[in-house]
Amino acid sequence: MNRQWMEFTENIKRLYKKDFVALHEPTFNGHEVNYVTDCINTGWVSSVGSYVTRFEEGLADFVGVKRAVAVVNGTAALHIALKIVGVEANDEVLIPSLTFIATANAVSYLQAIPHFVEVDEKTLGINTIKLESYLREIAELHQGDLYNKQTKRRIKALVPMHTFGHPCMMDELVAICDKFKLVLVEDAAESLGSYYKGKHTGTFGKVSAMSFNGNKIITTGGGGAILTDDEKLADYAKHLTTTAKVPHRWEFVHDEIGFNYRMPNINAALGCAQLEKLPKFIEQKRDLAKFYQKVIMNIEGVELLKEPAYAQSNYWLQTIMLDERYKRDELLDFLNENGVMSRPIWKPMHELEMFTECPKMDLTVTERLEQSIINITSTPVGVK
């Protein structure tokens, strides 16, 4: 690698004042210790406690939805979100192939079939033009449901994923769902603090799912949430994730197969403290994107993935895109060996062994992007 890339790594290490900089570390500089200690001192550490309610209410208020149901992780959130909107065994669910494995796994947990669709090379979200053309070709409406003419299966839902916090083209996706009678379920795992035309992501579909894993913009250790404006769906989600136990002072009666998915109070205590710092984290991440733009502007053949013109992104993971002169893995080796932890984007879902037989549209862009995308250090930090 040339001198410019060595300067790139040195600039990052100077910014973070470290000889080795992790990809994304949690930042605990608020009331986390106090709130967690309170859980321990009072004994309320499991799935019942005031911090769970407080976190749910604070999250719902920040995003702008009526209800948030806190669960153990983002995968569980998406699993339940799909279940409560009626995804059933043998249904097909449209998802991008360029996504984290959780999106495809959540579909599979319901014995439904992931149906992989193409992304846009500028936003990394679902390519709406190609998707609509594809559905016109391979699907047909019958008695209010969309069916795949090739497989004869119902296509029930569409799950856009806001990749690295950059919002998808939601107006177009909502229109597609209306036209083809699909349920819209947003995978907003990465986009807390991101807005599409001034409206927070995760508020366009019937339900959405968020993640608070250790590397997310805020963390509860492990954790996720189901978001919705539908009170009945929220109540059902809470019931299902509490093992479907019928409320009673002492009896254990469960009225259907449920899931032990509720977020523990001690994790929610972390989340409450993190929510208090969220505006600052977003500000720092957006400043970090400006820093990277200046650092890489003179390096040929590379560009920073920027927020779309219609959106405001949280820049959860800073992302660089390489042109054909680069071999992705050679640059990854260089960056990691020189103290800047970096990683490639996920292997496309349709290339994983368990999903190779799933239906898919032409995924040429997805396959090309896999070889050109690198995530770089993204921990919130004071740049100014």
Side-chain angles (χ1 to χ4, degrees), residues 120-317:
D120 178 83
E121 56 189 338
K122 294 298 183 182
T123 69
L124 306 188
I126 291 174
N127 187 308
T128 56
I129 295 174
K130 289 183 178 180
L131 175 60
E132 181 166 357
S133 176
Y134 176 68
L135 290 177
R136 289 185 182 280
E137 176 186 347
I138 65 99
E140 61 184 357
L141 286 165
H142 178 67
Q143 294 184 344
D145 285 316
L146 189 69
Y147 284 86
N148 186 328
K149 290 189 288 188
Q150 299 168 348
T151 65
K152 310 303 180 185
R153 292 188 291 250
R154 181 175 67 164
I155 305 176
K156 178 63 178 178
L158 172 66
V159 184
M161 198 275 286
H162 304 290
T163 311
F164 307 137
H166 298 291
C168 300
M169 300 176 69
M170 294 311 303
D171 284 347
E172 291 83 351
L173 289 170
V174 168
I176 287 172
C177 287
D178 289 344
K179 184 177 297 184
F180 292 96
K181 308 304 179 186
L182 296 166
V183 180
L184 178 62
V185 177
E186 285 179 78
D187 184 344
E190 303 174 359
S191 63
L192 178 60
S194 296
Y195 297 83
Y196 173 86
K197 296 183 178 180
K199 185 178 180 182
H200 201 291
T201 55
T203 62
F204 293 85
K206 199 172 186 65
V207 292
S208 66
M210 283 194 167
S211 171
F212 311 109
N213 188 34
N215 66 353
K216 292 300 190 295
I217 190 163
I218 67 168
T219 184
T220 56
I226 302 151
L227 306 178
T228 184
D229 282 325
D230 189 315
E231 295 280 3
K232 289 184 178 179
L233 283 181
D235 288 342
Y236 187 37
K238 185 173 181 180
H239 180 63
L240 279 179
T241 56
T242 316
T243 67
K245 182 181 181 295
V246 178
H248 193 277
R249 285 193 298 165
W250 61 79
E251 286 192 333
F252 287 87
V253 177
H254 306 260
D255 57 9
E256 63 178 295
I257 294 173
F259 304 87
N260 191 12
Y261 278 178
R262 286 290 279 161
M263 179 185 286
N265 198 48
I266 197 167
N267 294 85
L270 271 181
C272 290
Q274 291 271 288
L275 269 178
E276 294 169 355
K277 304 290 291 186
L278 178 56
K280 184 64 176 179
F281 292 160
I282 295 169
E283 177 187 351
Q284 290 178 325
K285 280 181 168 290
R286 292 180 61 79
D287 286 343
L288 184 60
K290 296 175 184 176
F291 165 83
Y292 277 128
Q293 183 60 37
K294 292 179 181 178
V295 169
I296 70 169
M297 64 186 303
N298 295 320
I299 303 179
E300 293 184 0
V302 60
E303 62 177 313
L304 184 75
L305 180 65
K306 301 176 185 177
E307 65 190 7
Y310 54 72
Q312 178 176 314
S313 174
N314 66 9
Y315 281 94
W316 168 56
L317 280 187

